[in-house]
Structure formats: structure tokens, C-alpha cells
Amino acid sequence: MTVNTLPNVNNDLKKIADKIYNGQRISDTDGLYLFEHGSLAFVGALANHVREQKHGDTTYFNRNFHIEPTNACIYSCHFCSYSKLYAHRDEAWELSLEQMMDIVKKYDNEPVTEVHIVGGVHPKMNLEFFAELLRNIKAHRPELHIKGFTAVELDYMFRKAKKTVLEGMQYLKDAGLESLPGGGAEIFAPEVREQICADKIDGAGWLKIHQTAHELGMQSNATMLFGHVENYEHRIDHMRQLRDLQDQTNGFNTFIPLKFRNGDNDMSHVSESSLIEDMKMYAMARIYLDNFPHIKAYWPMLGRQNAQLSLSFGVNDIDGTIDDTTKIYSMAGSEEQTPSMSTEELVVLIKQAKRRPVERGTLYNVIKDYSEIVHTDLPSLN
Ligand code: V47
Ligand code: SF4
């Protein structure tokens, strides 16, 4: 199919589509125009083309587990359910080094390749505490990739330890930190941050932390929290700043659009975005961020079926919080409470979308291609 065969497409949309089919970068104005005037089918077809050019049929997932050191947080991001907890510390938890090592040891006989460490910002958990955690994990299981700490957590740790970003990052790298997750980015525009997360690190600070990690040879992810009080211009502005930094460092692996969920937080009055908007966001990310290798759908937030759908709108990675010992059937729609999906379920989910499931390491090294593996007892996704 070429752009000229698409019905109901005006000349401006056709010009943008031509750029994309010719492998050219689109401008901010193009991006905004696509957001405002492109139908889901139109931007979806373009995003699908870009994804196919980059990855063919391959859809990645990985086997990881999460550690949340604490759910208490000194900050007060209105969209986050953690922010209420610091005032009610009795409802909050904080894990000791031993407790976190017990979580790591629980996976000793599991073929996981990554631990993802992220939580609230607790004043007692400082740089030295986390460096010790990293050293302990590496001493116990050296090959486990440690992806840890949002720029928000790092900013607090470094400032408290009176270290520069470079010094703090080098210190954690030496202790075993290998890459950074993408959290804390939200929307960079100050007028939006002011409304949703006024007291934490600003956009420039977030970008500086990731830039420093890249300059030290570490890779990282980037997120964007969308579908709350921001507009399309804010989304383009956010992605432009990421695209610019990526041009400079090439250190980002994956962009993860995070759909704002309005349960159990101070923004419950803000409606959630529609499925059409969500899919359009994935598609726009794939089209605009031409220098990002991967676009990921984080299924615990989006829901499995919508994550599956996103594979037709530019997504080529479906994360993979795996716990093969847990039976998903008992969860009955409560994905946000106990996010877990077995390898088999992830593989089925990807195959149902007619894609080739490939297990990857954190840095997208291929661990196993599941395309030829036939499951005899395929679980239903319904
Ligand atoms: O920064 C908080 C988001 C992020 C809500 O890098 C919310 O591989 C939606 O960044 N609705 C943290 N989102 C999680 C994160 C992440 C997740 C998975 C993989 C990776 C990765 C990174 O969660 C926060 C914030 O943007 N968040 N509250 C909410 N109500
Ligand atoms: Fe939640 Fe992170 Fe904000 Fe803390 S900094 S309130 S954990 S989003």
C-alpha cells in the first residue's frame, strides 16, 4: 500500500507520509499535525511501516523481576499513589538489605536475566545503602543485569551525598549499576510539571542524569506519562528533547509511553484517555522518535489485551514481568496489583498478534527465539 492509495487523506498528511516512507525525520510541526489531523488508521499504518523497517516481525520480551525498596516517598506527585503514603508511614514499607537480598535469592533457580529496582524516595535510603545493595547482588549473582533507580531517586541520592551527578553515577556504576529505567520523566514542560509533580527534579535535571549515564557508557530508557492535563504540544516537546539528546549520545534503548491511570491518587477526577488515544500515542512515538531503537508497551499499566493491540501501532517490545511459578488465571483482571505473566503467556500473546517472540537481555541481546516452539497447552488470553 502506498500513501496515494489511502482514502480521505489531505495533501498535508500525504506530504508527511511521504517523508516517513522515504525514511526522513518528521518535524515538530509535522508531528503536531499528525496528532491533530491523522486518523488512528493513518498514523497506525505509518507507525507499523516504521516498526517493520526496524524490526521485521520480531517482538521482544525479557525475564525480569522487580524490587521496590520502599513505597514511601518524600515527593508529592499528584498522579502517584505513593505520594500519600509518607504522611502515613505506618502504611508504608521499607525493605532492609537482607530483605532485598532474600527477593534476589528467591530467583536463584529461575532463568531471569534482569532485576529492575525502583521505588519511592525515602530519606533514610541513601547512596551508600544502595551501593551496598548493588555490590551484594553482584557478589551473589554476577551475571544478573541491574537496571535501577529513576533519575528522581538518583538526584536525591546524589544531592544528599553531596556528589555531582558524574561522581554519583560513577560510584553506582562501580558498585554494579548497569542501566537506568525510564521513570520520572513524566512531561518535561514546566507548566505541566508545576501541576502534576512540582517538587521533584525538573526536565533539564532528568535529561542531565541520563546524559551523564550515557557518557559513562551506560544505557537507559525514557518514559512519558500521557493522557492527563498535557496537550499534544507538550508531548511533542517532550519527545523532541529526548530525540535531541539521543542524537548526541545514542544511549537510549527504549521509549515507554505510560498511560495515566486515575485510580487511588490525587488526580482521580481526571478522566483516563481512550484506547484510540493510547494507540495513537504509541504510533506517534514510533514515527517521531526515529532514533530510538525500541518502543515498549508496559502491559501491567495498559492491560494485556491493549498491550497486544499496541503491537499493531509501532510497539516492538512488551516488557516481561515474569514469574513462572505464579498462575495468572487466579489474578482475574487485577494486573496492577500483582503484575506477573509466564513466559508461555507472553509468547502466546505475541504469537496471537502474528509476531515472532524473542526473549532478550536488557540490552537487546537475543537470548531465545520462540517462533518455532509449539506450546501444547496454550493458555487463553480471555
Ligand atoms: O515515573 C506513576 C509512572 C513511572 C502512575 O524503564 C504512573 O523499563 C500511570 O518508569 N498512572 C515509573 N503511570 C515506572 C517506570 C517504568 C516502568 C516499567 C519499565 C520501565 C523501564 C520504567 O510510573 C513513573 C510515572 O511516570 N506512574 N503513577 C499512574 N497513576
Ligand atoms: Fe511517586 Fe516517584 Fe513521584 Fe515519589 S517521585 S511520588 S514515587 S512518582
Side-chain angles (χ1 to χ4, degrees):
M1 182 170 59
T2 69
V3 68
N4 293 321
T5 63
L6 289 169
N8 301 323
V9 171
N10 70 33
N11 272 339
D12 291 327
L13 286 172
K14 276 186 184 155
K15 278 187 204 147
I16 299 172
D18 279 338
K19 278 192 188 175
I20 295 163
Y21 281 121
N22 289 324
Q24 288 165 17
R25 172 169 282 189
I26 65 164
S27 68
D28 291 3
T29 315
D30 295 336
L32 203 53
Y33 195 84
L34 272 183
F35 256 134
E36 284 171 351
H37 302 284
S39 67
L40 176 62
F42 184 71
V43 293
L46 296 176
N48 204 46
H49 169 80
V50 176
R51 178 199 56 73
E52 218 159 65
Q53 294 291 304
K54 286 184 184 286
H55 303 290
D57 276 351
T58 301
T59 298
Y60 294 102
F61 66 94
N62 76 343
R63 296 204 206 202
N64 64 10
F65 65 97
H66 287 217
I67 297 179
E68 283 184 61
T70 178
N71 64 346
C73 188
I74 57 164
Y75 293 120
S76 51
C77 307
H78 296 313
F79 53 81
C80 175
S81 52
Y82 283 12
S83 57
K84 290 188 204 152
L85 276 164
Y86 196 60
H88 309 280
R89 258 162 283 183
D90 47 325
E91 295 165 38
W93 79 76
E94 40 183 284
L95 301 181
S96 65
L97 287 179
E98 290 70 31
Q99 286 171 315
M100 289 191 266
M101 284 311 294
D102 284 344
I103 297 175
V104 174
K105 287 172 189 165
K106 221 178 79 187
Y107 291 89
D108 274 355
N109 297 314
E110 303 284 340
V112 290
T113 58
E114 171 191 288
V115 53
H116 178 157
I117 309 173
V118 67
V121 176
H122 192 296
K124 278 202 295 200
M125 293 178 163
N126 58 25
L127 184 68
E128 195 42 51
F129 176 83
F130 284 118
E132 189 64 16
L133 172 67
L134 298 170
R135 287 190 285 264
N136 290 350
I137 295 173
K138 280 289 163 192
H140 180 74
R141 193 166 173 175
E143 79 289 357
L144 190 66
H145 182 107
I146 308 180
K147 178 178 81 180
F149 313 121
T150 63
V152 179
E153 295 165 274
L154 294 170
D155 167 62
Y156 184 80
M157 274 183 233
F158 298 163
R159 283 190 292 114
K160 214 165 173 220
K162 298 200 177 356
K163 289 199 186 291
T164 64
V165 174
L166 182 61
E167 290 164 349
M169 196 72 75
Q170 184 69 61
Y171 189 69
L172 291 182
K173 186 179 183 230
D174 292 344
L177 186 65
E178 283 158 293
S179 62
L180 309 187
E186 323 312 356
I187 288 280
F188 292 142
E191 65 270 26
V192 174
R193 263 185 131 68
E194 188 59 36
Q195 291 179 62
I196 65 169
C197 57
D199 54 356
K200 74 181 179 190
I201 190 172
D202 62 10
W206 189 98
L207 289 160
K208 183 175 179 196
I209 285 186
H210 282 256
Q211 178 177 356
T212 306
H214 298 171
E215 285 166 358
L216 288 175
M218 300 158 80
Q219 295 186 11
S220 74
N221 293 338
T223 57
M224 175 170 73
L225 183 70
F226 73 94
H228 42 90
V229 301
E230 91 291 359
N231 59 33
Y232 289 146
E233 285 175 37
H234 295 129
R235 295 187 197 180
I236 292 286
D237 171 70
H238 187 94
M239 291 196 289
R240 194 199 55 257
Q241 296 194 51
L242 291 172
R243 193 169 79 174
D244 286 350
L245 180 56
Q246 179 74 334
D247 277 343
Q248 237 177 287
T249 64
N250 202 29
F252 287 117
N253 249 330
T254 312
F255 181 65
I256 312 155
L258 293 169
K259 170 194 175 74
F260 163 70
R261 305 303 304 258
N262 68 5
D264 199 26
N265 57 46
D266 293 340
M267 287 171 67
S268 300
H269 57 285
V270 176
S271 307
E272 291 183 358
S273 54
S274 67
L275 185 55
I276 286 188
E277 267 303 306
D278 300 342
M279 293 304 125
K280 203 167 179 185
M281 186 59 241
Y282 284 104
M284 285 302 303
R286 183 58 290 167
I287 293 167
Y288 184 90
L289 291 172
D290 60 343
N291 55 3
F292 270 63
H294 309 284
I295 304 292
K296 177 155 90 179
Y298 185 53
W299 63 263
M301 285 284 197
L302 193 62
R304 291 142 214 252
Q305 299 213 354
N306 293 346
Q308 190 181 41
L309 187 62
S310 73
L311 299 180
S312 297
F313 294 90
V315 168
N316 69 295
D317 185 335
I318 200 127
D319 202 77
T321 306
I322 310 288
D323 183 348
D324 277 334
T325 60
T326 305
K327 281 284 159 250
I328 203 106
Y329 317 106
S330 61
M331 287 164 44
S334 58
E335 286 168 352
E336 292 80 3
Q337 303 303 315
T338 45
S340 172
M341 194 159 15
S342 72
T343 307
E344 197 172 63
E345 284 159 327
L346 267 173
V347 165
V348 170
L349 184 145
I350 293 167
K351 282 189 174 174
Q352 285 180 336
K354 306 296 171 227
R355 295 283 156 71
R356 186 164 68 97
V358 171
E359 183 189 342
R360 62 165 175 87
T362 309
L363 306 180
Y364 290 83
N365 48 307
V366 172
I367 292 179
K368 187 167 175 177
D369 184 337
Y370 281 78
S371 54
E372 301 304 325
I373 294 173
V374 178
H375 295 282
T376 49
D377 182 22
L378 297 183
S380 159
L381 287 167
N382 299 318

